[in-house]
Amino acid sequence: MASERVLLQVPGPDGDREISLSSPNRVVFPAAGVTKLELAEYMIAVAQPFLAANGNRPVSLERFGGDVTEDGFFSKNPPKGTPDYVDSVEVTYNSGRHHPQIVLTEVAAAVWAVQMNTVVFHPWASLAGNPDNPVELRIDFDPQPGTDLADAIVAAHAMREVLREAGLTSFIKTSGNRGLHLFAPIEPTHEFLDVRHAVIAACRELERRLPDRVTTNWWKEERGERIFLDYNQANRDRTMAGAYSARPLPTATVSTPVTWDELDTVVPSAFTVRTIPDRLLTLGDPWAGFADNPGTITHLLEWWQRDVDNGLGELPFPPDFPKMPGEPPRVQPSRAKKAPE
C-alpha cells in the first residue's frame, strides 16, 4: 500500500517548487506532537533567517527514521536521487579524505531535507566558496553538573567583553537544550586551525578572569562545577546545530538567536517549532546583519602566541581526530602507564 503523501508548494528563485512529502502525519517530536508536515511548514516559515545563518555552506544533516527519541544518523554527502536544486561542494576532512557535502541555497533544499527525515541542520563555519577558511568564530558554553543556564549566561556576557577587547562583535543563541552558542563573524583570512587557536586564546583569557566559573579542561573529571568552554567546536568538520534549526528533543525546541538584552531572562524551552514563526514576525531576527561587519582574529592570535611563549601550548583534540602536532597526551598523566624502570 502506498504511503500517505502531500504536495507542498515551496517558494523558489524562479517560482514555486512542488515537493512531495511522505508520511506527513508521522509524529517526529512526541511530547509536543509535532509532525513531519509541521516541521516542513516550519522550514518554509523561517526560510529567510534560516538560510542567512545556514545557507551557502557545507552542512551535515541529522536524520531520524522514527521520532527523535530513537537513534539518528548523519548524512554529509548528497544521497542518490538528490534533486538538482540541492547543491554540494567538495570538502576536505581532518583525516585527509575528500568528498562532496550538501549545500543549501534555497528553502526547497531544506524542505527536501525534511522529506529525507532531517531534524537538525549542522552547518560548517565556512562558506561553500571557500570551505577551508571560517567566516565565524564559535564558542559552545556547556553547563556541567552543578551548573545551569544562569551560569552559562554569566560566562557568555563575560566572553562578549573579552571578544570586544579583541575587536570582535558577538552574537548569541540558545543551543535548544541546556547551553548557549556564541558566534562572532570574522573575515575568511585564516584556516580552521588558526581559528581554533584564536578560540583557545579567548577561552583562556576568560578562564583567567573567571577561574571559578569557567574551564577549558577537556577531561570531564577535571571540570568541576564550572561552564565548559568547548573550544573544539572550532575544529574543521565540527559543527553545532544551526540557528533556527530544531533539536532532537521531544518538545521540538529550536536553537534560537536572541538579543543580548533579553539573554538574562531567556527561557529556551519556550522557543519551539510552533512558537518561532510568531516570534520572528513580532520581534524580527536578532541576527539580521550578522555578516555585515566581520572582524579579524589578529588580536586573538597575538594572545595565542603570548600564551605559547609563556608555556601554554596546544590543547587536546577530539579522540576521533588524527594526532596533531604539539598536542598533549590524550591519556591523562594520572591514568598513563608508568614507564618501565
Side-chain angles (χ1 to χ4, degrees), residues 109-124:
V111 175
W112 163 83
V114 172
Q115 160 56 17
M116 299 297 290
N117 299 318
T118 298
V119 171
V120 192
F121 295 83
H122 296 264
W124 278 36

Side-chain angles (χ1 to χ4, degrees), residues 306-320:
R306 174 202 63 194
D307 289 344
V308 169
D309 293 343
N310 289 332
L312 295 174
E314 192 57 88
L315 289 177
F317 286 79
D320 57 335

Side-chain angles (χ1 to χ4, degrees), residues 270-302:
F271 299 145
T272 72
V273 165
R274 286 179 174 153
T275 64
I276 291 302
D278 283 344
R279 171 180 163 84
L280 285 168
L281 287 173
T282 303
L283 301 176
D285 177 18
W287 282 20
F290 176 94
D292 289 351
N293 295 291
T296 73
I297 60 172
T298 302
H299 201 73
L300 290 176
L301 290 179
E302 291 173 355

Side-chain angles (χ1 to χ4, degrees), residues 24-40 42 67 250-252 272-274:
N25 296 316
R26 176 168 61 82
V27 174
V28 179
F29 303 93
V34 173
T35 65
K36 183 177 178 181
L37 175 58
E38 286 183 273
L39 182 58
Y42 166 79
D67 66 43
T251 52
T272 72
V273 165
R274 286 179 174 153

Side-chain angles (χ1 to χ4, degrees), residues 99-111:
H99 71 64
Q101 184 134 358
I102 292 167
V103 175
L104 309 175
T105 58
E106 59 177 281
V107 63
V111 175

Side-chain angles (χ1 to χ4, degrees), residues 74-245:
F74 282 85
S75 288
K76 296 183 178 181
N77 56 318
K80 185 178 180 180
T82 298
D84 58 9
Y85 55 80
V86 179
D87 288 349
S88 64
V89 64
E90 190 82 6
V91 297
T92 303
Y93 296 93
N94 286 287
S95 64
R97 293 185 299 108
H98 304 254
H99 71 64
Q101 184 134 358
I102 292 167
V103 175
L104 309 175
T105 58
E106 59 177 281
V107 63
V111 175
W112 163 83
V114 172
Q115 160 56 17
M116 299 297 290
N117 299 318
T118 298
V119 171
V120 192
F121 295 83
H122 296 264
W124 278 36
S126 56
L127 300 180
N130 183 6
D132 295 323
N133 288 19
V135 294
E136 59 207 22
L137 176 153
R138 301 173 171 182
I139 301 173
D140 181 9
F141 295 82
D142 186 5
Q144 301 303 293
T147 67
D148 56 20
L149 179 65
D151 298 296
I153 289 171
V154 171
H157 279 299
M159 180 61 82
R160 182 191 187 193
E161 182 57 33
V162 167
L163 294 178
R164 181 185 287 121
E165 292 174 20
L168 297 176
T169 300
S170 301
F171 294 77
I172 196 73
K173 68 183 179 76
T174 67
S175 70
N177 196 352
R178 298 180 62 243
L180 297 171
H181 296 160
L182 184 150
F183 284 33
I186 58 174
E187 296 178 0
T189 53
H190 291 78
E191 57 91 30
F192 275 91
L193 186 60
D194 287 336
V195 175
R196 178 182 189 272
H197 289 163
V199 168
I200 290 174
C203 291
R204 280 175 167 158
E205 181 61 27
L206 184 59
E207 193 175 27
R208 279 188 281 266
R209 299 182 187 190
L210 300 177
D212 297 327
R213 286 185 172 272
V214 302
T215 181
T216 59
N217 283 320
W218 180 250
W219 309 104
K220 290 183 178 180
E221 63 271 20
E222 294 183 349
R223 294 176 187 171
E225 294 185 1
R226 293 177 287 183
I227 298 296
F228 173 52
L229 306 174
D230 190 353
Y231 57 87
N232 267 327
Q233 293 294 352
N235 290 333
R236 178 190 295 269
D237 192 29
R238 270 298 187 273
T239 56
M240 303 178 183
Y244 298 109
S245 173

